[in-house]
């Protein structure tokens, strides 16, 4: 019993000739691909001249940018250095650290009293 296509004519999809042709075509394509793979594997590797890796180049450029930025900041600091401002900053730092140590001690005492509970 033939298989019918949508046009009302017998379809030749399952005929032995068509299946053999498809198998032969697939086999030829597979052999062609394998042949190219084998041929590509036999080519000698060309030695490339040693060049630094991309990561090394990026690291070197970032390092040079960082060094130039540090040098520019140091020059700017030395140019705009004011002893009065430096003294005020040191005083502000010492007062703020003293206050923070006091408040940290109070906070620690409060936490310990909550953890111990009422006596």
């Amino acid at each position: 019993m033939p298989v019918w296509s949508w046009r009302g004519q017998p379809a030749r999809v399952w005929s032995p000739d068509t299946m053999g042709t498809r198998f032969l075509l697939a086999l030829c394509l597979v052999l062609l691909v394998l042949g190219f793979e084998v041929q590509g594997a036999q080519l000698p590797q060309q030695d490339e001249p040693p060049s630094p890796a991309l990561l090394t180049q990026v690291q070197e450029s970032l390092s040079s940018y960082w060094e130039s930025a540090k040098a520019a900041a140091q020059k700017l600091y030395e140019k705009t250095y004011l002893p009065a401002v430096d003294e005020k900053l040191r005083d502000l730092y010492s007062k703020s650290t003293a206050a923070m140590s006091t408040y940290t001690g109070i906070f620690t005492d409060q936490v310990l009293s909550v953890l111990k509970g009422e006596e």
Side-chain angles (χ1 to χ4, degrees):
M1 181 167 182
V3 176
W4 295 92
S5 68
W6 61 278
R7 293 183 186 163
Q9 299 173 352
R12 298 183 191 176
V13 177
W14 298 101
S15 70
D17 292 335
T18 307
M19 290 302 289
T21 306
R22 287 184 182 174
F23 177 75
L24 186 60
L25 180 63
L27 182 65
C28 286
L29 287 174
V30 168
L31 289 175
L32 185 67
V33 169
L34 288 175
F36 281 130
E37 287 294 321
V38 169
Q39 185 181 14
Q42 291 176 355
L43 292 176
Q45 295 287 337
Q46 295 179 358
D47 293 333
E48 296 180 10
S51 63
L54 179 63
L55 182 61
T56 306
Q57 291 175 351
V58 169
Q59 286 176 339
E60 289 173 356
S61 65
L62 287 177
S63 176
S64 68
Y65 288 139
W66 178 253
E67 292 299 323
S68 63
K70 280 188 351 184
Q74 183 67 27
K75 287 178 185 176
L76 182 64
Y77 175 75
E78 289 171 358
K79 188 190 299 185
T80 60
Y81 178 75
L82 298 173
V85 173
D86 188 49
E87 184 178 330
K88 286 181 182 179
L89 287 175
R90 289 178 191 269
D91 186 46
L92 179 66
Y93 176 78
S94 64
K95 287 180 180 178
S96 63
T97 54
M100 284 303 295
S101 64
T102 302
Y103 289 120
T104 304
I106 294 170
F107 179 72
T108 305
D109 289 341
Q110 292 294 320
V111 169
L112 289 175
S113 67
V114 167
L115 292 176
K116 283 184 179 178
E118 296 293 323
E119 291 186 14

